[in-house]
Amino acid sequence: MAHNFTLGKNERLKSRKLIDFLFQQGKYINIYPYKVYYAKTVLPECLVLQAGVSAGKRYFKHAVDRNRIKRLTREAYRLKKNSLQQLLKEKNLQLLIFFIYTGKTLPVFAEVSEKMEVVLNKIAEQIVQQS
C-alpha cells in the first residue's frame, strides 16, 4: 500500500476551539526538545489526525528562526506520521497533536526527525495502552 506523505490544509490544527480543548483536556509528554500535547476527539469527515506546531519567542527573537523550526518540525512530522495514522484508523480513533519546541538552540533536521519518531512512537504506545 502506498503511503501518503502529505500534510494538507485540513490536517493542520487551526481551530481556536480545538486548540483550547487540546490544552485544557489533553495530555502531554516531554521529549526534549519538544513538549507535545495530544487528545482524542471527534473530527469532521474522514480526518484521523490534526497537528499544530509552535516555537517560542523567548529564545528565538527573530521570526526567521521560529519559522525554520516550525518548518523542520512539520516536515519531520509529515514523513513520520503514517504509522500513527494507520494505528488510529485501525482503532477508529481521531487525535489532535500540538508540538511546542522548547529547545534553546536551532535544531538540524536529523535531530528533529529522530525526536519526531520517538514522540510519535510514544503517543502510539499511550493509545494502545488506553484502548
Side-chain angles (χ1 to χ4, degrees), residues 5-38:
F5 294 107
T6 61
L7 186 60
K9 188 175 183 178
N10 60 351
E11 293 180 70
R12 295 181 187 220
L13 182 57
K14 294 183 178 184
S15 167
R16 175 60 65 190
K17 286 182 183 178
L18 289 177
I19 292 171
D20 288 343
F21 168 78
L22 177 61
F23 285 118
Q24 290 172 2
Q25 308 288 326
K27 299 177 182 174
Y28 70 90
I29 55 176
N30 278 317
I31 297 177
Y32 186 81
Y34 289 103
K35 183 173 187 176
V36 182
Y37 285 86
Y38 65 97

Side-chain angles (χ1 to χ4, degrees), residues 15-96:
S15 167
R16 175 60 65 190
K17 286 182 183 178
L18 289 177
I19 292 171
D20 288 343
F21 168 78
L22 177 61
F23 285 118
Q24 290 172 2
Q25 308 288 326
K27 299 177 182 174
Y28 70 90
I29 55 176
N30 278 317
I31 297 177
Y32 186 81
Y34 289 103
K35 183 173 187 176
V36 182
Y37 285 86
Y38 65 97
K40 293 181 196 172
T41 188
V42 176
L43 295 173
E45 301 166 15
C46 61
L47 288 178
V48 177
L49 198 53
Q50 277 193 336
V53 179
S54 175
K57 201 173 188 179
R58 173 186 272 176
Y59 296 112
F60 303 102
K61 304 291 185 201
H62 301 282
V64 174
D65 295 335
R66 294 191 301 275
N67 290 342
R68 176 154 179 81
I69 291 167
K70 293 187 284 188
R71 193 168 38 251
L72 289 174
T73 303
R74 280 193 300 265
E75 179 68 8
Y77 169 75
R78 181 184 72 84
L79 294 172
K80 305 285 183 186
K81 71 177 178 170
N82 284 318
S83 60
L84 181 60
Q85 218 168 20
Q86 288 299 106
L87 176 69
L88 291 171
K89 283 181 183 175
E90 289 170 11
K91 302 272 185 194
N92 200 20
L93 297 172
Q94 295 172 322
L95 193 70
L96 300 174

